[in-house]
Amino acid sequence: MMKNQPSGKGTSIRPRGLQLCLRDQALVDGTVFAADGTHLPTCLGNRKGWVNLTSVHFRNTGEKLPHIAVQTNRILWAASPSQEIPLMPVSQGASPRLVEMQLEGGVVLRGDLMLAQNQRLSDYLGAFGDFIPLRDARQLPSGNVIGDVAVNREAIERLREIELDGTTNEVAAGLAADTRIGPADANAADLAVAGAIASTDPVAGTI
């Protein structure tokens, strides 16, 4: 059995709880090895397309397995119910903006995006890679509370901003096609994200 592993940078790599909702809507609980200071979007985005889960439990069927490997592009959203893998650090002066995400398969999530003052929503979305952090998410129409999640941008069909009076304003449709980072923008986007997490995520994405 693998034990906690020192990283050589004053942090340790140890198993941490992770919950995945796959794109076929299977719900999977398990553990993933991650370093101290790892955040959920970068933990998923830096794994070369695969996540290794141990102590696996498929909640829909009750099936339990010692280990599986999941392609990250098959993940609809991911959460850490125990909060062992935090979502993302919040920039000073950032405030919540309530949004509604319509995902493939009819899944709808409502939660907060943390935007800096005067930051455009499109710029915020464009700064992230494969997974977008959504705080205090709940599933509609059931109202089931999920908590902080990282949402696969490829699975987002529509994103709407919710006004204070409850009305919606559609921000983006076909998010994966319209705002996906292209090769020319990749370096700039990576720098934007790296600047936000460099001080707190020294070895993000370690398996």
Side-chain angles (χ1 to χ4, degrees), residues 43-112:
C43 173
L44 297 168
N46 291 343
R47 290 180 176 269
K48 299 181 180 180
W50 293 89
V51 174
N52 287 313
L53 283 181
T54 58
S55 304
V56 179
H57 177 212
F58 286 84
R59 295 180 64 178
N60 306 63
T61 64
E63 182 181 12
K64 295 183 179 181
L65 296 171
H67 169 261
I68 62 170
V70 179
Q71 285 188 298
T72 54
N73 65 4
R74 301 310 304 161
I75 298 171
L76 192 63
W77 54 257
S80 180
S82 61
Q83 298 186 339
E84 293 177 287
I85 308 176
L87 188 61
M88 284 292 287
V90 178
S91 302
Q92 185 175 4
S95 58
R97 190 172 298 183
L98 184 62
V99 298
E100 186 175 289
M101 291 182 177
Q102 180 177 322
L103 311 183
E104 64 184 34
V107 176
V108 179
L109 299 180
R110 181 175 289 191
D112 293 322

Side-chain angles (χ1 to χ4, degrees), residues 99-148:
V99 298
E100 186 175 289
M101 291 182 177
Q102 180 177 322
L103 311 183
E104 64 184 34
V107 176
V108 179
L109 299 180
R110 181 175 289 191
D112 293 322
L113 300 177
M114 301 300 295
L115 273 67
Q117 187 176 7
N118 299 323
Q119 184 177 18
R120 295 188 306 176
L121 187 55
S122 59
D123 291 340
Y124 178 88
L125 297 172
F128 290 95
D130 294 330
F131 290 87
I132 295 173
L134 183 68
R135 294 187 179 275
D136 299 323
R138 64 179 63 230
Q139 190 165 344
L140 301 180
S142 67
N144 179 45
V145 176
I146 302 172
D148 294 345

Side-chain angles (χ1 to χ4, degrees), residues 155-190:
I156 301 174
E157 296 179 348
R158 285 182 172 79
L159 190 151
R160 299 182 179 188
E161 185 173 359
I162 308 300
E163 305 293 347
L164 293 177
D165 61 3
T167 59
T168 60
N169 177 31
E170 187 163 307
V171 176
L175 183 64
D178 294 340
T179 64
R180 182 71 178 177
I181 301 174
D185 302 319
N187 290 338
D190 288 345

